[in-house]
Amino acid sequence: MSKKEKIILDVDTGHDDAIAVLVAAKAEKIDLRGITVVSGNQTLPKTLKNTLSICDFAKIDAPVYAGMDRPLVREQVTAPDIHGESGLGGPTFPAPAKTAEDKQAVDFIIEEALNSEGELILVPTGPLTNIATAFNLKPKIKEKIKKIVLMGGAYGLGNITPSAEFNIYVDPEAAQVVFDSQIPLVMTGLDLTHQAKATQKIINRISELDNRIADLSVELIEFFRQTYKNTFGFDSPPLHDPCAVAKVIDEDVFSTKEMRVDIELNSQLNRGRTVCDFYNRTKKEPNAEVAINLNKEKFWNIVIKSLSKY
Ligand code: BDR
Ligand code: CA
C-alpha cells in the first residue's frame, strides 16, 4: 500500500464534520495525527463536546485539541438552523469520557508542522481561524506544510448569504491569510460538495453496513436532511466536509481547476465571497486548485469503506 498521509483535521463539529472524522479515522491512506477544533457551526464548547462525543462513541483514539473560540476580527456567527442548538442535533450521547489535550490546538498545529519534515497535510472543515492563527504566530511553518485541502468557498452561489459560503464568511480575514500562504491549496467549495448529496439510495447502503457507527451516520444524515429541506429545499443533504477528506484518500475523487482566489473583506453584500478568477482575467498567479467535478461512485465508496470498518 502507498504511504500514509499525515493529516490534521481541523473541525467545527456539526453533522458533516462528524462524518469526516469517522471517515478519516478508518482510512488506510490516512495517519490522523490529531483533531483540532474551532468555533463555527456552534460555539467552541459545543463543537469541542461534539468532537469528543464522536471520538468517544466511535473509539477513535486520535488526540483532540481545543482551538480558537472566535473569529480573528468579526463577531461570531453560528449555524443553529442547519446543525441545531447543540451543533450536532439528532443523536444523543452520554457525557464523553474522552477529554481534550491540555495543549492549545494552534500550538499543536505549529509543533506538528515543525516536526513533520514537510509531510503534513492540513484538512480544515470549519472557519480557518486556527490555521490562520498558527501561520500568524509562526510564519515559518508554512514552508513545512505539504498541502491544505479545505472545505469552504464557492465560485458559484453561497449558502450563508447569496454570495458566501459559511466557513469563509465566518472568518474571512483568516481565510485570506490561508489563501495567501503560498502552500499548495485545494478549495473544496459548494460547487463540488453539492454533488455529494446523500440520497435515499446512499442512506440504504450505509444502513446495510449494520454497525453502530453506520447507524449513527444515518441518524446524523437524517437530521441534516430535514434542515437542508427546510432551509434550501434540497431533497438530500450534501456531505460537504467528507469531500475534503476523500481528496486526501484518492486524488482522483474530484477534478480541480487552477485559479486565483481572493476573499472579499470589505463589501457588505459580498463579505466572505471567494472571488475565483475562473477565466484568468486578472492574470494573477493562481493560488488554489478549485474543486470542479465529483466522481460520485468513488466518493461514496470511500465513505462507505471507512464506515464499514467500525
Ligand atoms: C460548511 O459549513 C458547515 O455548516 C458545514 O459543516 C460545512 O463545513 C458548508 O458550508
Ligand atoms: Ca464544518
Side-chain angles (χ1 to χ4, degrees), residues 12 16-17 41 125-126 167 241:
D12 60 332
D16 52 335
D17 302 81
N41 285 323
T125 64
N167 290 338
D241 297 340

Side-chain angles (χ1 to χ4, degrees), residues 52-310:
L52 292 168
S53 294
I54 290 292
C55 289
D56 216 31
F57 193 74
K59 303 188 171 64
I60 294 170
D61 53 15
V64 172
Y65 300 85
M68 305 304 287
D69 67 357
R70 73 197 74 165
L72 294 185
V73 295
R74 311 267 176 161
E75 291 290 312
Q76 188 163 51
V77 178
T78 57
D81 50 336
I82 304 297
H83 297 277
E85 275 310 323
S86 71
L88 199 58
T92 48
F93 298 96
K98 189 175 171 93
T99 53
E101 305 296 312
D102 288 338
K103 194 175 288 174
Q104 225 281 353
V106 172
D107 293 329
F108 171 69
I109 293 168
I110 292 172
E111 281 179 28
E112 196 62 26
L114 292 175
N115 294 331
S116 70
E117 288 159 13
E119 299 207 323
L120 183 65
I121 300 180
L122 300 179
V123 185
T125 64
L128 291 160
T129 324
N130 286 344
I131 312 295
T133 305
F135 292 173
N136 286 343
L137 279 175
K138 245 317 178 237
K140 77 170 185 198
I141 66 168
K142 290 187 262 179
E143 295 152 26
K144 303 274 187 180
I145 292 166
K146 179 171 163 187
K147 207 198 288 189
I148 300 170
V149 183
L150 64 86
M151 190 282 133
Y155 57 81
L157 298 172
N159 59 359
I160 178 83
T161 69
S163 289
E165 181 282 329
F166 179 80
N167 290 338
I168 306 295
Y169 176 87
V170 169
D171 198 343
E173 284 74 17
Q176 188 65 63
V177 169
V178 172
F179 278 83
D180 278 342
S181 66
Q182 297 195 314
I183 299 168
L185 185 153
V186 177
M187 178 184 118
T188 314
L190 296 175
D191 327 282
L192 187 283
T193 64
H194 283 178
Q195 298 167 50
K197 294 203 179 92
T199 59
Q200 191 55 52
K201 231 172 159 171
I202 295 296
I203 296 174
N204 294 346
R205 277 179 70 189
I206 298 175
S207 290
E208 281 159 19
L209 296 175
D210 199 19
N211 70 50
R212 50 199 280 285
I213 300 305
D215 293 348
L216 168 67
S217 304
V218 169
E219 231 184 307
L220 291 168
I221 293 170
E222 288 297 349
F223 184 94
F224 217 33
R225 171 153 77 172
Q226 205 47 59
T227 59
Y228 261 83
K229 179 89 191 151
N230 298 343
T231 309
F232 298 105
F234 288 9
D235 285 332
S236 308
L239 295 195
H240 309 279
D241 297 340
C243 293
V245 170
K247 184 69 170 168
V248 179
I249 297 170
D250 183 350
E251 176 68 23
D252 295 332
V253 72
F254 57 76
S255 62
T256 59
K257 181 172 159 66
E258 225 184 25
M259 61 188 92
R260 176 77 204 179
V261 179
D262 285 298
I263 315 298
E264 177 56 62
L265 301 177
N266 300 314
S267 146
Q268 279 280 338
L269 285 174
N270 295 319
R271 159 183 170 179
R273 177 159 182 80
T274 42
V275 179
C276 296
D277 192 1
F278 200 97
Y279 295 115
N280 191 23
R281 299 297 300 163
T282 62
K283 306 277 184 269
K284 283 191 193 166
E285 200 54 38
N287 60 350
E289 298 265 347
V290 175
I292 308 284
N293 276 316
L294 182 70
N295 181 327
K296 289 187 199 163
E297 197 185 329
K298 270 189 198 291
F299 174 70
W300 291 112
N301 286 344
I302 289 168
V303 171
I304 288 165
K305 187 170 176 196
S306 271
L307 296 181
S308 74
K309 292 190 185 150
Y310 288 94

